[in-house]
Amino acid sequence: MSKTKGQKFKTAALTILFIAVVFFGTYGVSRVQLSLLGKENIYGYVEANEWDERMTFDADAYFSLTVNEGGTLKVLMLTDTHFKNGGWYANYFWVGEAVNRGAYADIKKLVKDAAPDFIYLTGDIETASLNDLIFEEFGAFMDGFKIPWTMTMGNHDAENRADKAKVAEILLAAEYCVLDVGFTNLNGLGNTVIPVKDGNGRILYAFI
């Protein structure tokens, strides 16, 4: 039995309404969040530390890693987790919360299976209007492993409420995060050098 014009119109209208609700729930609410919280932007501060070509490299000024007995070092690299605010205030009501929980569970399994000595995150940890809240939550989550970790920022990590300097402040507050802000006259924040040494303190190679 074919649908009448009225039934087709009703179906189309409900479909459009559903799409509009989903769109507002995942994108529009983010803007409402910011306006109601009264803070469209949050700016951090990092102390100026400029590089010039006369400087020499001092490996002892940086956090370093030491290889295990047998000369091994296990590093777990994670990238593009894209945690997000899915609804009002943080991420507790919309589908984004379920996706975030799934990502956290996956990371926990990876860390357990890999048992790394160091965790390196290569950006786009979040895609959220309230990126400061996401990073505060993520920093506490990473500290739970009690394993040194650091990250470089992707193009999404500081494109919303908190700027790069504020994100850096939040990361530096995490106990096990070994982020180095780096030279501030170079592009970005987090230009890090991590020497890897043998048991005698000799540099074997470095993460840059």
Side-chain angles (χ1 to χ4, degrees), residues 7-205:
Q7 290 173 323
K8 290 180 180 179
F9 176 81
K10 184 178 180 180
T11 301
L14 289 173
T15 301
I16 292 171
L17 178 62
F18 174 78
I19 292 172
V21 169
V22 171
F23 178 84
F24 181 75
T26 55
Y27 296 100
V29 168
S30 297
R31 306 315 304 172
V32 174
Q33 289 171 181
L34 294 181
S35 62
L36 290 178
L37 287 170
K39 291 184 178 180
E40 287 284 346
N41 297 290
I42 300 176
Y43 300 100
Y45 171 78
V46 292
E47 187 175 349
N49 179 25
E50 297 193 352
W51 175 88
D52 70 62
E53 60 186 8
R54 295 166 295 179
M55 290 181 172
T56 56
F57 177 71
D58 180 10
D60 293 330
Y62 295 88
F63 168 83
S64 63
L65 296 165
T66 302
V67 297
N68 300 312
E69 292 184 14
T72 63
L73 180 74
K74 187 178 290 187
V75 177
L76 175 63
M77 181 174 286
L78 300 172
T79 189
D80 291 84
T81 51
H82 289 278
F83 289 103
K84 61 186 65 181
N85 305 127
W88 165 247
Y89 191 65
N91 56 354
Y92 299 106
F93 293 108
W94 297 84
V95 68
E97 169 64 2
V99 175
N100 288 354
R101 288 185 182 278
Y104 279 129
D106 288 341
I107 293 172
K108 283 182 179 179
K109 186 176 188 306
L110 281 169
V111 174
K112 180 180 179 180
D113 292 347
D117 302 299
F118 184 63
I119 301 174
Y120 191 15
L121 304 150
T122 52
D124 284 357
I125 300 307
E126 60 78 44
T127 313
S129 55
L130 305 180
N131 56 335
D132 53 310
L133 299 184
I134 289 290
F135 272 111
E136 287 172 2
E137 180 182 277
F138 184 74
F141 169 76
M142 291 299 299
D143 272 354
F145 297 120
K146 301 187 185 304
I147 297 171
W149 61 280
T150 193
M151 71 169 285
T152 54
M153 295 188 202
N155 61 302
H156 289 298
D157 291 314
E159 69 180 358
N160 290 292
R161 182 163 78 156
D163 69 352
K164 284 184 180 180
K166 186 61 182 180
V167 171
E169 283 184 1
I170 294 168
L171 293 171
L172 288 167
E175 181 179 357
Y176 287 87
C177 182
V178 296
L179 177 79
D180 187 342
V181 169
F183 295 111
T184 52
N185 61 333
L186 300 180
N187 185 42
L189 294 177
N191 295 298
T192 303
V193 178
I194 302 177
V196 179
K197 303 178 180 180
D198 64 15
N200 297 316
R202 182 171 63 97
I203 298 176
L204 302 174
Y205 44 86

